[in-house]
Amino acid sequence: MAEMDFKQVNGIALAYLGDAAYEVYIRQHLIEQGLTKPTKLHHLATHYVSAKAQAALIALMEEDQLLTDEEWEYYKRGRNANSHTHAKHTSVLTYRVSTGFEALMGYLKLSEQTDRLAQLSQWCIEQVEARRTEKDETNN
């Protein structure tokens, strides 16, 4: 897609695409772990793709200064977009932050920055797994 074209796409549309693009990485990762039962796959995927998880990942990205200025701009475009849907199991703020996360991923997909999309998705997977490991160790 031409540079001018994707720069005109609104934050909600970017989030729509980003949700799907990021989820493909998560689904592939889970299947590569040897998981095959749909119920288990869905349950585990929510640790990566829920609004709460995505909001936590954005906070870590900010803490680690992981994103470029341009990437932050696309995140903010999604976060600040007027959505006609509402948060189901989370606060409005968390939902908006997760929409920004998805818009960032949509921007990377639409602008054909596949290496960067893969890099950030892998980083997210590693962060979620580290948090799950810490949680498991705390519970044992």
Side-chain angles (χ1 to χ4, degrees), residues 13 23 26 28 33 36-37 39 58 65 98 104 106:
E23 182 132 5
I26 299 309
Q28 181 175 344
Q33 301 304 303
T36 58
K37 295 184 179 183
T39 304
I58 281 291
Q65 300 179 349
S98 71
L104 165 65

Side-chain angles (χ1 to χ4, degrees), residues 69-121:
D69 289 343
E70 186 172 31
E71 290 167 344
W72 277 117
E73 287 177 33
Y74 282 93
Y75 156 75
K76 289 174 185 175
R77 183 185 295 185
R79 182 197 63 194
N80 297 337
N82 286 328
S83 175
H84 298 290
T85 60
H86 62 288
K88 293 178 186 167
H89 303 289
T90 189
S91 71
V92 172
L93 178 61
T94 300
Y95 184 77
R96 290 174 69 99
V97 170
S98 71
T99 301
F101 174 94
E102 292 171 347
L104 165 65
M105 297 301 185
Y107 154 69
L108 293 172
K109 178 68 176 171
L110 204 56
S111 62
E112 299 178 352
Q113 296 182 56
T114 53
D115 289 344
R116 181 63 171 158
L117 177 59
Q119 177 188 34
L120 286 179
S121 296

